[in-house]
Amino acid sequence: MGTAQDKLVDGLYGLGWAGVKKLPEPAAVALGRRIADYAWKRRGKSVLRLESNLARVVPDAGPERLRELSKAGMRSYMRYWMESFRLPTMDPRRFGTDVEFEDENILRDALASGRGVVVALPHLANWDLAGAWAIGHIGVPFTTVAERLKPETLYDRFVAYRESLGMEVLPHSGGAAFGTLARRLRSGGLVCLVADRDLSASGVEVDFFGAKARMPAGPALLAQHAGAVLLPATLYYGETPKMYGRIHPEVEVPKAGTRAEKTTAMTQAVADAFAWGIAEHPEDWHMLQRLWLEDLEERTQ
């Protein structure tokens, strides 16, 4: 049985999915901006954490610049939600016009190789829209994993939403996801993973904007285990409704070293690609949680 708070959270999200998708696009954009500005003005924990994270990304930014970035960041974050609520009702033909990827040929060539492809993304702009682009524009279905959310009914909504777009969604917990992902890759399939925040105790330490953070080992391990191509990708928003992205060059498996050393080197290369994209468009990085090890240690003290 869920708590009253769980039921309230699930109900609010349900209203969003049911209500926002019926709004005309300009009205949804305006609503998202109003909600974002209200949340930003309240200066809650999420906004303060976003500013703290952005201070590492843009170390020379003063307080006023950080506030500008966090305000733009909250607007970008709410744009993600407004788009996501509306995504299942969008005309699939828009994915080819509203989303543009630089170096798209890298992804197409990797898929044509038949080796299977792992695309690793950070929490930039709208990764669900990028997934819909891959399905609708590239014409390739893919498999991903989703963090189990509380309440369980909310997780079920997220899974149903992503499956409605053509994605195969596996639960992050339970241990069976890795084997299924490896099988999809060995058959030449596409796996897309949001990979800038570790959700387990098995993450890899990386240097990220001058400090230590932990990122998932999964993309690098899958590439090694299944012989797949590992491609980082980064995203950013243009004026509504445009979103842009870049497919970065393949992160190759090092020829020498232990499995752990290879995994660390590959994960660092992914982190470096993420850092490039985030530094280019910090306002579109939706990291409202603690990420760096120093910040995580402060919380536990």
Side-chain angles (χ1 to χ4, degrees), residues 103 105-107 109-111 113 115-120 223-224 227-233 246-255 265-266 269-270 273:
D103 295 323
N105 63 294
I106 294 177
L107 175 60
D109 291 346
L111 289 167
S113 75
R115 292 171 54 196
V117 179
V118 182
V119 175
Q224 294 175 74
V229 180
L230 174 55
L231 300 177
R246 179 185 178 190
I247 305 295
H248 295 257
E250 177 183 356
V251 175
E252 297 184 353
V253 180
K255 292 181 172 59
M266 294 173 73
V270 170

Side-chain angles (χ1 to χ4, degrees), residues 57-267:
V57 174
V58 191
D60 57 346
E64 184 176 348
R65 174 62 177 148
L66 282 176
R67 285 174 65 87
E68 290 174 355
L69 278 173
S70 67
K71 184 175 185 178
M74 291 304 293
R75 287 183 172 185
S76 176
Y77 183 52
M78 287 311 304
R79 174 173 169 177
Y80 161 78
W81 280 111
M82 294 296 111
E83 286 179 348
S84 295
F85 289 146
R86 293 174 49 80
L87 206 49
T89 64
M90 283 178 60
D91 183 343
R93 290 175 295 184
R94 289 184 56 179
F95 302 143
T97 57
D98 293 354
V99 181
E100 293 182 17
F101 267 87
E102 183 181 345
D103 295 323
E104 176 185 324
N105 63 294
I106 294 177
L107 175 60
R108 289 186 180 274
D109 291 346
L111 289 167
S113 75
R115 292 171 54 196
V117 179
V118 182
V119 175
L121 306 97
H123 286 83
L124 271 170
N126 193 332
W127 44 99
D128 285 324
L129 180 57
W133 169 86
I135 295 167
H137 181 63
I138 301 293
V140 180
F142 68 89
T143 304
T144 188
V145 297
E147 178 184 2
R148 283 200 175 275
L149 303 170
K150 296 291 185 179
E152 192 75 14
T153 49
L154 180 56
Y155 170 78
D156 292 340
R157 286 183 188 273
F158 269 98
V159 170
Y161 150 63
R162 289 183 169 131
E163 287 179 341
S164 75
L165 299 174
M167 308 176 191
E168 179 187 20
V169 183
L170 307 175
H172 184 273
S173 58
F178 187 91
T180 302
L181 294 172
R183 287 193 295 274
R184 300 292 183 268
L185 291 167
R186 288 197 191 97
S187 64
L190 175 63
V191 167
C192 297
L193 301 171
V194 179
D196 57 343
R197 181 169 175 259
D198 180 51
L199 296 173
S200 70
S202 59
V204 175
E205 278 195 21
V206 295
D207 292 314
F208 197 55
F209 290 104
K212 291 291 185 181
R214 190 177 288 117
M215 293 189 180
L221 288 172
L222 281 166
Q224 294 175 74
H225 188 71
V229 180
L230 174 55
L231 300 177
T234 52
L235 310 168
Y236 65 96
Y237 277 135
E239 290 297 319
T240 304
K242 297 288 288 189
M243 186 179 79
Y244 301 91
R246 179 185 178 190
I247 305 295
H248 295 257
E250 177 183 356
V251 175
E252 297 184 353
V253 180
K255 292 181 172 59
T258 65
R259 186 183 183 89
E261 288 169 344
K262 292 177 180 179
T263 301
T264 296
M266 294 173 73
T267 305

Side-chain angles (χ1 to χ4, degrees), residues 41-54:
K41 287 176 182 176
R42 292 191 64 188
R43 311 287 295 160
K45 289 182 179 179
S46 294
V47 173
L48 296 178
R49 175 50 49 192
L50 177 61
E51 280 188 12
S52 177
N53 291 339
L54 289 171

